[in-house]
Amino acid sequence: MKNRRDIPTLSNEELFSLCKKEEQPVCFGELYRRYIPMIYGLCLKYLADKTDAQDAVMDLFEEVSQKIKRYDIQNFHTWLYSVVKNHCLLRLRKAKQSFFVNMDDTIMENGDFFTLLDKEKSSEEESALMLCMNELGEEQRKSIEYFYYENKSYADIVSITGYTLEKVKSYIQNGKRNLKNCITRVLKMQ
C-alpha cells in the first residue's frame, strides 16, 4: 500500500489498480471523488433535478464500490459512465410508474411508435411483438428480454451472458430496430 499522503498524487489508472488489487477504501474514495463532476453532470442530465442528481451520486458511491470488485473492468472511465447512465435510466423507469414525464420525440429512440414496456398494446400489437421476438437472433432476444422485461443493466447483462458491453449495447439497439421493422411489417399484413 502506498503512503496515504501519496494517494492524491497518483493517476486515475494507478488508483484504480490499487482499488482492484488491495481493495483500499481510501483509494476508491479518492478515485470516486475525482469522477464526481462527471457523475453529477450525467445524473443531472438524465434526472433533470439537482436533489435527485445528488441522491443518485450518493447511491452510486455504494453501488460502484461493490461492482468494482465483481467485474473485469478494462477502462474505468467508460465503465463508470455506463453504470451511471444505467442507474439513472433505472431510476427514471421506476419513477415512470408514479408519474408521466413528457419527453420530446427527438430525444426518444423509437419516436411515437411504442416501447416494449407499454402496458396498453392492442392484441394485434402484442401478438406481433411475440412473433417478432421469436424471429430475433438469440443474442438480441436475450439482451432485450434482460434489459426490458427483467430491468437488468448493461453490466448485469454482461455478467449473465458473458457478452462484451459493446455487444450488449449493439444487440439491444439492433434488436429494437429489428423489432420495430418486423412489427410494422406484421401489422401491415393484418
Side-chain angles (χ1 to χ4, degrees):
M1 167 74 191
K2 297 258 185 190
N3 187 326
R4 280 188 114 117
R5 285 177 284 170
D6 294 339
I7 290 175
T9 64
L10 297 175
S11 71
N12 290 346
E13 292 78 20
E14 291 170 319
L15 274 173
F16 177 66
S17 177
L18 283 174
C19 288
K20 291 293 285 184
K21 186 169 50 178
E22 300 180 17
E23 297 186 18
Q24 295 293 327
V26 69
C27 293
F28 176 74
E30 174 63 21
L31 185 63
Y32 193 81
R33 183 193 64 75
R34 292 178 184 183
Y35 280 95
I36 284 178
M38 181 199 77
I39 296 168
Y40 177 72
L42 196 54
C43 290
L44 192 57
K45 173 186 169 187
Y46 280 97
L47 303 176
D49 179 82
K50 289 181 180 180
T51 304
D52 287 345
Q54 291 167 350
D55 290 344
V57 169
M58 297 306 292
D59 292 344
L60 279 158
F61 180 84
E62 181 65 30
E63 182 179 333
V64 170
S65 70
Q66 296 303 312
K67 285 186 175 186
I68 201 171
K69 299 171 190 171
R70 295 191 311 242
Y71 295 103
D72 180 28
I73 303 163
Q74 302 302 316
N75 183 323
F76 180 73
H77 179 86
T78 304
W79 176 83
L80 181 62
Y81 185 93
S82 294
V83 170
V84 172
K85 178 181 173 186
N86 288 333
H87 178 85
C88 290
L89 292 174
L90 185 59
R91 284 177 81 115
L92 288 172
R93 199 175 294 145
K94 286 179 181 177
K96 182 179 176 184
Q97 296 171 356
S98 301
F99 62 92
F100 176 75
V101 176
N102 188 15
M103 298 185 80
D104 185 11
D105 278 347
T106 59
I107 297 173
M108 302 303 288
E109 290 182 42
N110 291 333
D112 61 353
F113 190 65
F114 73 93
T115 68
L116 297 173
L117 298 177
D118 281 341
K119 302 296 183 215
E120 298 179 28
K121 287 191 282 294
S122 69
S123 61
E124 291 86 12
E125 289 172 331
E126 187 67 41
S127 62
L129 174 61
M130 298 312 294
L131 174 76
C132 292
M133 282 291 288
N134 290 327
E135 287 185 12
L136 290 177
E138 181 181 357
E139 296 90 354
Q140 290 180 2
R141 184 180 43 74
K142 278 184 176 179
S143 297
I144 286 174
E145 286 173 349
Y146 284 132
F147 189 75
Y148 286 101
Y149 293 112
E150 297 182 27
N151 292 324
K152 302 287 187 193
S153 68
Y154 288 152
D156 292 335
I157 298 170
V158 167
S159 178
I160 293 167
T161 63
Y163 306 147
T164 65
L165 179 61
E166 293 77 22
K167 288 287 188 188
V168 169
K169 289 178 181 179
S170 176
Y171 291 147
I172 292 172
Q173 184 69 23
N174 292 333
K176 287 188 331 187
R177 185 187 65 246
N178 291 339
L179 278 176
K180 179 180 177 180
N181 293 339
C182 176
I183 290 169
T184 302
R185 185 182 73 244
V186 169
L187 291 176
K188 283 183 181 178
M189 293 187 324
Q190 293 180 351

